[in-house]
Amino acid sequence: LFALARVGAITLPVDARWHEDEKRRMVEFFAPRLLFSDDPLPWIEGCPVQLADDVWKARVATASEDAPIAHAPDLGMVVSLSSGTTGRPTGPLLTHEQRYARTVSQMASLGFSCYDRFMTATPLYFGGGRAFTLSQIAIGATLILNTPPFKAQELARAVAETETTALFLVPTLLPLIDAYGIDRVHFGIIIQLGLLIGIATPPMGIGLYIVAEVGRVRFEKVTLAVLPMLLPLFAVLILLTYVPQTVTFLPDLILGKQ
């Protein structure tokens, strides 16, 4: 991703689990100049495919490092797809400047630093996993790739063996919430609502960039329009957090208290 960004290319990450017809539609819609894949794609026509095989790895190992560096803050870097398996593919084109702003934001809000040993335990296709991964590389931290599928015991062993200092996965929090007697349904609703608020909160909410791109309006205009909507969302989040019965009442009534 960084190598492509360095030369000014735009990357479109695609979920490898998609069906052939879904991937074919992506190629037809975006008309990429090159596809990069671990496996052959014989059903793709009209676009060259570069395999990540031993030949390619050998060429990378001997390649020179004097490629020109593209300079422009508004230069496109990565397309963050929000939909596309059905209908018209949509998603914002994030620029180098926006990617840099996100890295700075994560350093300030999450405490990322060059001393971290961060484990990426989510696919790079997902925006969150990709964003954290790129930020860690940019600030000079140690990055450990451990993408799923894996079992919980395997993940725990990998964290211990690699001396990982930073990792965020909701399932890893389950032992902690169980220890404090927090209801799992209550916790899940809080996580979901928190993520919803996060994608709509400026300046880094990915949902705002999607709306601005699809609606073809300025990002600042979308931000000003959404700010009043955030106040009731924050109020509801506080209510659900400190009054768990607002979440657990109906499940307990139907399923019985767990």
Side-chain angles (χ1 to χ4, degrees):
L1 289 174
F2 266 103
L4 292 170
R6 169 175 173 159
V7 298
I10 298 174
T11 304
L12 171 64
V14 172
D15 192 341
R17 298 171 300 178
W18 283 0
H19 298 299
E20 291 183 4
D21 57 337
E22 293 172 336
K23 296 177 183 178
R24 186 182 296 108
R25 285 198 320 105
M26 289 294 109
V27 173
E28 293 173 352
F29 185 85
F30 288 100
R33 296 178 60 183
L34 178 68
L35 287 176
F36 189 78
S37 174
D38 290 324
D39 303 312
L41 306 174
W43 36 269
I44 292 294
E45 299 178 355
C47 181
V49 178
Q50 174 61 61
L51 296 179
D53 53 16
D54 293 337
V55 175
W56 175 80
K57 294 176 182 178
R59 291 172 57 191
V60 170
T62 58
S64 62
E65 300 180 0
D66 57 355
I69 299 178
H71 292 281
D74 58 349
L75 190 65
M77 180 177 178
V78 60
V79 175
S80 185
L81 271 182
S82 57
S83 66
T85 55
T86 59
R88 181 179 182 271
T90 56
L93 171 60
L94 301 181
T95 65
H96 285 240
E97 185 176 33
Q98 291 166 342
R99 177 62 259 168
Y100 173 76
R102 178 165 294 186
T103 298
V104 173
S105 173
Q106 290 171 347
M107 291 176 65
S109 60
L110 300 177
F112 287 171
S113 76
C114 61
Y115 301 105
D116 282 329
R117 293 179 60 83
F118 186 88
M119 176 176 288
T120 296
T122 56
L124 295 181
Y125 164 75
F126 294 109
R130 182 173 65 247
F132 286 167
T133 297
L134 292 175
S135 293
Q136 293 293 332
I137 296 177
I139 64 180
T142 300
L143 182 67
I144 303 158
L145 293 176
N146 186 27
T147 53
F150 45 69
K151 297 180 180 179
Q153 296 84 350
E154 296 172 344
L155 178 61
R157 183 167 57 253
V159 169
E161 292 175 351
T162 58
E163 298 181 348
T164 295
T165 61
L167 167 71
F168 181 79
L169 283 176
V170 172
T172 64
L173 301 177
L174 289 180
L176 184 62
I177 68 173
D178 288 343
Y180 284 92
I182 300 173
D183 186 272
R184 291 190 176 189
V185 173
H186 180 216
F187 181 75
I189 294 297
I190 292 174
I191 288 290
Q192 290 297 321
L193 182 57
L195 291 174
L196 169 65
I197 295 175
I199 67 174
T201 302
M204 300 314 300
I206 189 66
L208 302 179
Y209 292 100
I210 295 172
V211 172
E213 179 73 17
V214 174
R216 300 187 182 280
V217 295
R218 295 181 58 191
F219 177 79
E220 293 81 3
K221 186 175 181 180
V222 176
T223 299
L224 292 176
V226 80
L227 285 178
M229 310 296 179
L230 292 177
L231 296 178
L233 285 175
F234 279 116
V236 171
L237 180 61
I238 293 173
L239 175 66
L240 297 184
T241 301
Y242 291 100
V243 187
Q245 292 77 11
T246 55
V247 175
T248 60
F249 169 75
L250 189 58
D252 288 347
L253 182 64
I254 297 175
L255 303 176
K257 191 172 181 61
Q258 303 295 318

